[in-house]
Amino acid sequence: MREQLEALRDEALQLVNQASTQKELNDVRIKYLGKKGPITEVLRGMGKLSAEERPVVGEIANAVRGVIQTELEQRLVDVKQQEMDAKLALEAIDVTLPGRPKQVGQAHLLQQVTDEIEDIFMGLGYTIAEGPEVEQDLFNFEMLNLPKDHPARDMQDSFYITDEILMRTHTSPVQARTMLASKGEPIRILCPGKVYRRDEDDATHSHQFMQVEGLVVGEDISMADLKGTLEAFVKQMFGEAREIRLRPSFFPFTEPSVEVDVSCFKCGGKGCNICKQTGWIEILGAGMVHPHVLEMAEYDSTKMSGFAFGMGIERIAMLKYGVDDIRHFYTNDVRFSEQF
Ligand SMILES: [Zn+2]
């Protein structure tokens, strides 16, 4: 019986030494020291032994059990330490490894062009004004000299929400709102933003696009101020050598009204495909604020005058960066966006 117990002890101690996890150690403990383990079994069979043998075998059995217990505990301390070391090694940070490159995005081309236009006009003392895209008929049309039955409304067919509320067709309602809020005081604002029209989408039209408009109201504001301002803008936007040309036009909210052309920046006026062989490219509409518009906004039109201009940001971006289809701006293809 002694040999049997010593064999069990050696077997158990070998397993303890081989164990490399807490679970394996626990398995050894249950197997050899548990209630159904071999040592317990040996002790149970002691009834068959003689009175002289019993204490001797009991002592050996207890000694074997004690050794296994002690070894298990010591090994457990080591295994815990090893597990901790392994975990720390796994979680260690190697500061010499190269970093993972981050994908850094950039502003959309339309935003870049908007920023560029804003910078130029802020340099001329303008402030940026914004307004709602869901607008009242009052501000979108009526206060801009476009009463309900005006035929020019047809050119700006819109998305109506109710008879009186629509998606704004231009950024001009921001001008109307600003004029009304300024209580007769001078204004110099730039209004960029999204506008909506019920247009068929094609290479140059989109049902949603971006506009930027400018408005100056004050004493003695003249057509010369308008021309000087637009010339300064065009030279900064398209190059020092650019010139502008004003052609008579019609807008309900300005009188007189003009279309503004810039001398072609590709051919310098000789004629090319961009300027359609004319040497000039139409870029914006402008004019002197109609006295009736000033009066609706509670200005005294005998003392105050003003000019306004507006342009499509997509068109400016297409011209300046050679984009051939307006739909590129909205298809969210990063291969397009990343080029600018
Ligand atoms: Zn040209």
Side-chain angles (χ1 to χ4, degrees):
M1 203 158 253
R2 173 194 288 268
E3 289 80 26
Q4 202 186 335
L5 283 166
E6 282 172 351
L8 278 170
R9 178 195 65 195
D10 294 345
E11 198 181 295
L13 293 183
Q14 200 187 351
L15 286 174
V16 167
N17 278 321
Q18 284 169 356
S20 58
T21 66
Q22 295 189 50
K23 189 188 175 299
E24 283 169 22
L25 283 174
N26 199 38
D27 290 346
V28 174
R29 188 179 60 76
I30 291 165
K31 184 173 176 192
Y32 290 92
L33 304 180
K35 278 178 188 157
K36 289 172 186 167
I39 296 172
T40 312
E41 220 165 276
V42 169
L43 292 171
R44 271 197 200 118
M46 287 218 309
K48 294 170 200 153
L49 299 174
S50 66
E52 294 85 47
E53 279 176 319
R54 241 176 264 165
V56 179
V57 172
E59 202 179 320
I60 295 168
N62 281 328
V64 166
R65 174 181 275 209
V67 168
I68 296 173
Q69 189 84 49
T70 311
E71 284 295 310
L72 266 173
E73 274 160 21
Q74 272 178 6
R75 183 73 190 140
L76 187 63
V77 172
D78 291 347
V79 164
K80 276 183 176 169
Q81 186 61 47
Q82 280 168 13
E83 284 184 349
M84 178 65 82
D85 289 348
K87 195 169 177 229
L88 286 174
L90 205 67
E91 288 172 1
I93 294 166
D94 183 351
V95 293
T96 64
L97 281 173
R100 292 192 184 91
K102 272 215 173 83
Q103 259 211 323
V104 180
Q106 59 176 58
H108 191 277
L109 179 58
L110 291 178
Q111 187 59 52
Q112 291 181 40
V113 171
T114 306
D115 291 346
E116 210 175 330
I117 297 170
E118 284 181 4
D119 283 350
I120 292 170
F121 281 99
M122 284 196 286
L124 296 172
Y126 286 65
T127 53
I128 308 300
E130 288 179 330
E133 289 172 27
V134 178
E135 189 51 281
Q136 296 172 43
D137 188 275
L138 174 71
F139 292 113
N140 193 78
F141 287 130
E142 284 172 59
M143 286 196 59
L144 300 164
N145 240 2
L146 283 149
K148 286 233 155 46
D149 53 358
H150 198 291
R153 279 193 179 205
D154 292 347
M155 288 158 57
Q156 298 193 13
D157 203 2
S158 180
F159 300 102
Y160 279 84
I161 288 146
T162 69
D163 283 350
E164 294 299 326
I165 296 174
L166 69 155
M167 302 305 290
R168 68 181 180 191
T169 58
H170 44 190
T171 47
S172 314
V174 183
Q175 298 189 27
R177 286 172 174 275
T178 308
M179 281 194 282
L180 202 58
S182 66
K183 308 266 181 235
E185 292 299 310
I187 300 177
R188 198 183 297 177
I189 55 162
L190 194 75
C191 335
K194 289 201 279 288
V195 301
Y196 304 83
R197 290 190 195 178
R198 235 182 62 187
D199 242 337
E200 291 295 323
D201 289 3
D202 63 28
T204 52
H205 295 86
S206 165
H207 62 279
Q208 181 230 294
F209 56 101
M210 290 188 74
Q211 256 191 354
V212 58
E213 293 187 0
L215 171 70
V216 173
V217 179
E219 284 179 38
D220 301 323
I221 301 293
S222 74
M223 200 86 179
D225 298 313
L226 170 63
K227 193 177 179 195
T229 300
L230 294 179
E231 213 160 53
F233 162 70
V234 157
K235 283 179 189 296
Q236 285 193 58
M237 196 71 192
F238 295 105
E240 267 307 307
R242 300 282 75 77
E243 285 172 25
I244 60 167
R245 175 176 86 169
L246 308 188
R247 286 179 289 115
S249 184
F250 169 79
F251 302 109
F253 29 85
T254 46
E255 180 59 36
S257 303
V258 290
E259 296 284 355
V260 181
D261 299 336
V262 58
S263 57
C264 182
F265 40 82
K266 191 183 176 195
C267 65
K270 285 191 222 71
C272 69
N273 59 333
I274 290 185
C275 59
K276 294 174 186 138
Q277 312 306 326
T278 64
W280 295 93
I281 302 169
E282 185 186 323
I283 55 160
L284 56 87
M288 300 305 293
V289 181
H290 198 293
H292 188 223
V293 170
L294 288 172
E295 274 152 24
M296 280 190 285
E298 294 165 14
Y299 279 100
D300 181 349
S301 68
T302 62
K303 287 187 185 144
M304 303 286 266
S305 55
F307 65 75
F309 56 87
M311 62 193 119
I313 294 173
E314 283 84 350
R315 177 155 173 79
I316 301 293
M318 287 167 87
L319 286 171
K320 183 161 178 177
Y321 294 96
V323 177
D324 59 359
D325 192 321
I326 197 170
R327 290 167 291 197
H328 288 317
F329 292 122
Y330 310 116
T331 47
N332 284 332
D333 188 336
V334 288
R335 291 171 302 178
F336 170 77
S337 307
E338 279 172 353
Q339 295 175 49
F340 307 103

